[in-house]
């Protein structure tokens, strides 16, 4: 049902903005055909394999030139016609700007803004991989919408790099984590390749932060020195799978190592088995690996892992890292070579990876105007209403706004007599309807700032309750936040008619909110993370265990393992329509365990679900398919999301939706030694309140 038309509406909210202006130049590139030297360089011959071209280039460099390329701000090599390159740019939910002059993107010329999509955790709530594809070629993959805008900025001469250090694919393990808002929790496995023509990348995505990183600054414990104690079991089925998917399905061309240590070893200096053997060998990664910023220095200066700076440099390069965000490699690699702590061959290996990615971006193919993405201009930068310029709307790592539109302005497009106030009971008494816009902002949850509780600020909770008490009609509560908030008080208050979680909604947030409130859009989002009660803060954030331990009252983590009270379940969400489901009988309800890659392909089969929209409005409805075993023993998950689809249904319409079940992936679990196995027995497929049993046999 559509909500009633409102005559007078009150909005309670807050707001701010920044633009950067400067000059732009021609896009930098190598192998200019007007330069007679180009014909003699094999690395400029586009008909040759990139491997051969990169080897030729590296062989021409002096040691000092090689060292200048091992940092994010890579120096130019004038004698070879190679311009400077900046590896560090951001594009978490749109091409982002920064006050840091070291980054590779500048909004200082003909292009002064870029589309700011909703913060990632909110986009995850749609459970629609196709939407993610249209936004940014999905969060795991080389960006399309983001990539187009990035390429347009490069073509306009406002970029010195096309490598973007996003997405953040760490598990949202603890609701207090300040960067949980950046993660696509709930999204596993579905992939779309793209953003490239043949071997050419439109933009380079970098999956971060490898690995077991989800603590920034909690009660004095900082990410720079934190030692994450992780079991082989949790590493195998929780912390590593996102990176394996990012590499194998997403075809990512970059990986960033995390600051923290894992079982005593810094991630950037992780042993050869983790970076080289696992990522490159087992997963087939063929891109570059970077440290987080100043992480190599931290290994020696803060973690005390290397006795000398040269030890830290040798450790990270031997482990398989290629580039240092910072200057440590530039300062100490030469002395590491001279002290025979590091062979030059490790430097050459790193440079081969780095130049290969730059070549895949087409930056060594001559004038970009003649290249596959050379015609993308400023007209391809999307223009539209931006969420209010306040940090409360766009989240972190955001680009500059185009046309700021606040929730107030969005609601005023429906009701002209909509009035704004920061909070007043008296005014609320006179309004026909009240919309309360509350929640968190980047001063309360952000990078380097974890929360210590799960409640709203005390004054907000008091304001919500007092206004709900005096309002003529049930109020609408809108929550802006990246992470979960315990709003049990509002959930149980009959005077609060509806609660809308809007995350940090980005560019079109104000308009989208108004369309939902006035019934022009049927909401269909699902929570992509469990919302815990305030009592969860009794669990130390430093405890990395995923699985519960009843003997010590440890409740476990995430919807997969948590056993305790919840404010809202993972996957919870309402719309203006009601839906019913029926899992259709499968032709074969027995899965026979077979070994090997080919056998895994043969084990796949289709699950069909019939769904019907019983509402009066058309709606886009996310369907989440879970699998579980009847008993939670041997560390098995309570349940596991194995597939999801979003389906459009008109009022009264029904449809049959197909899901692909991949037993080798979806039914396997980790043993204590980290090995993955498929156990015999009964498994239950479930969607909402419907279940269907399948048997796994040898």
């Amino acid at each position: 049902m559509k909500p009633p038309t409102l005559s007078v509406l009150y909005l309670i909210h807050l707001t701010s903005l920044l633009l950067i202006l400067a000059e732009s130049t021609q896009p930098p590139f190598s192998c200019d055909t007007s330069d007679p030297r180009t014909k003699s360089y094999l690395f400029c011959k586009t008909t040759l394999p990139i491997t051969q071209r990169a080897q030729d280039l590296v062989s021409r460099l002096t040691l000092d030139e090689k060292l200048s390329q091992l940092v994010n701000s890579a120096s130019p090599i004038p004698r070879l016609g190679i311009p400077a390159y900046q590896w560090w740019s951001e594009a978490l939910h749109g091409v982002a700007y920064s006050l840091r002059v070291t980054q590779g993107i500048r909004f200082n010329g003909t292009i002064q803004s870029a589309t700011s999509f909703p913060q990632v955790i909110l986009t995850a709530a749609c459970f629609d991989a196709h939407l993610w594809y249209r936004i940014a070629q999905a969060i795991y993959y080389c960006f399309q919408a983001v990539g187009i805008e990035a390429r347009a900025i490069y073509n306009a001469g406002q970029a010195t790099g096309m490598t973007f250090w996003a997405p953040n694919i760490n598990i949202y393990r603890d609701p207090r984590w300040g960067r949980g808002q950046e993660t696509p929790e709930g999204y596993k496995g579905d992939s779309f390749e793209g953003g490239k023509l043949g071997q050419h990348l439109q933009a380079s995505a970098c999956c971060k932060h490898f690995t077991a990183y989800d603590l920034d600054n909690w009660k004095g414990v900082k990410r720079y020195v934190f030692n994450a104690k992780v079991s082989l079991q949790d590493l195998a089925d929780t912390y590593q799978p996102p990176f394996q998917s990012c590499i194998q399905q997403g075809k990512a061309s970059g990986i960033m190592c995390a600051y923290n240590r894992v079982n005593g070893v810094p991630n950037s200096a992780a042993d050869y088995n983790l970076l080289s053997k696992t990522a490159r060998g087992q997963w087939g990664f063929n891109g570059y690996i970077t440290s987080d910023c100043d992480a190599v220095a931290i290994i020696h200066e803060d973690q005390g892992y290397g006795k000398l700076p040269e030890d830290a440099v040798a450790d990270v390069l031997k482990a398989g890292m290629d580039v240092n965000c910072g200057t440590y490699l530039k300062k100490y690699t030469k002395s590491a070579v001279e002290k025979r702590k590091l062979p030059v061959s490790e430097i050459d290996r790193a440079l081969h990876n780095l130049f290969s990615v730059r070549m895949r971006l087409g930056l060594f193919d001559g004038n970009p105007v003649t290249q596959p993405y050379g015609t993308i201009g400023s007209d391809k930068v999307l223009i539209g209403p931006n969420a209010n310029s306040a940090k409360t709307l766009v989240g972190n790592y955001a680009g500059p706004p185009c046309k700021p539109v606040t929730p107030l302005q969005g609601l005023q497009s429906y009701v002209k007599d909509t009035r704004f106030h920061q909070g007043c009971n008296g005014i609320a008494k006179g309004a026909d309807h009240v919309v309360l816009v509350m929640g968190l902002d980047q001063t309360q949850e952000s990078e380097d700032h974890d929360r210590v509780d799960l409640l709203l600020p005390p004054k907000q909770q008091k304001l919500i309750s007092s206004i709900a008490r005096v309002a003529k009609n049930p109020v609408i509560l809108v929550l802006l936040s990246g992470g979960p908030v315990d709003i049990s008080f509002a959930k149980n208050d009959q005077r609060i008619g509806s609660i809308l979680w809007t995350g940090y909604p980005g560019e079109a947030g104000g308009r989208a909110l108004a369309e939902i409130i006035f019934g022009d859009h049927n909401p269909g989002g699902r929570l992509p993370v469990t919302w815990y009660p305030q009592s969860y803060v009794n669990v130390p954030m430093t405890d990395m265990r995923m699985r519960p331990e009843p003997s010590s009252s440890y409740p476990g983590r995430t919807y997969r393992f948590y056993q305790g009270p919840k404010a809202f379940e993972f996957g919870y969400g309402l719309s203006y329509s009601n839906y019913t489901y029926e899992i259709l009988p499968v032709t074969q309800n027995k899965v026979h365990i077979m070994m090997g890659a080919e056998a895994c392909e043969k084990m796949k089969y289709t699950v069909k679900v019939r769904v019907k929209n019983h509402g009066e409005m058309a709606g886009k409805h996310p369907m989440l398919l879970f699998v579980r075993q009847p008993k939670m023993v041997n560390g098995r998950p309570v349940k596991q999301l194995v597939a999801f689809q979003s389906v459009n249904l008109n009022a009264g319409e029904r449809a049959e939706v197909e899901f692909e079940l991949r037993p080798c992936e979806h039914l396997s679990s980790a043993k204590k030694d980290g090995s993955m196995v498929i156990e015999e027995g009964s498994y239950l497929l479930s969607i909402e309140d419907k279940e269907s049993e399948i048997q796994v046999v040898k």
Side-chain angles (χ1 to χ4, degrees), residues 55 82 97 436 503 540 613 648:
Q55 287 175 345
I82 299 173
Y97 73 144
L436 293 166
N613 180 353
N648 288 295

Side-chain angles (χ1 to χ4, degrees), residues 88-131:
W88 181 10
S89 291
E90 300 287 355
L92 179 64
H93 52 107
V95 180
Y97 73 144
S98 173
L99 293 178
R100 302 181 182 97
V101 295
T102 56
Q103 292 191 15
I105 293 290
R106 306 180 306 278
F107 293 96
N108 60 355
T110 58
I111 299 175
Q112 298 187 20
S113 60
T115 306
S116 180
F117 295 101
Q119 183 58 294
V120 177
I121 193 68
L122 180 63
T123 307
C126 69
F127 285 93
D128 183 352
H130 291 277
L131 175 62

Side-chain angles (χ1 to χ4, degrees), residues 124-129 140 184-190 237 241 245 526-529 558-561 570-572 622-629 637-645 659-662 665-668 684-688:
C126 69
F127 285 93
D128 183 352
Y140 287 149
E185 183 64 18
Y187 273 71
K188 302 288 184 293
D190 284 12
D237 73 355
S245 295
R526 303 291 193 99
L527 289 179
V529 64
T558 76
Y559 80 93
R560 294 170 61 229
F561 298 107
F570 172 91
Y572 178 83
M623 300 173 62
L624 279 56
L625 182 68
F626 294 90
V627 67
R628 69 178 181 89
Q629 290 178 275
V638 176
K639 61 180 179 179
Q640 172 74 48
L641 178 67
V642 296
F644 55 86
Q645 283 196 45
F659 298 94
E660 183 181 69
L661 188 70
R662 303 188 290 274
E665 177 184 347
H666 297 149
L667 303 185
S668 64
L684 295 172
L685 298 173
S686 65
I687 185 163
E688 296 295 334

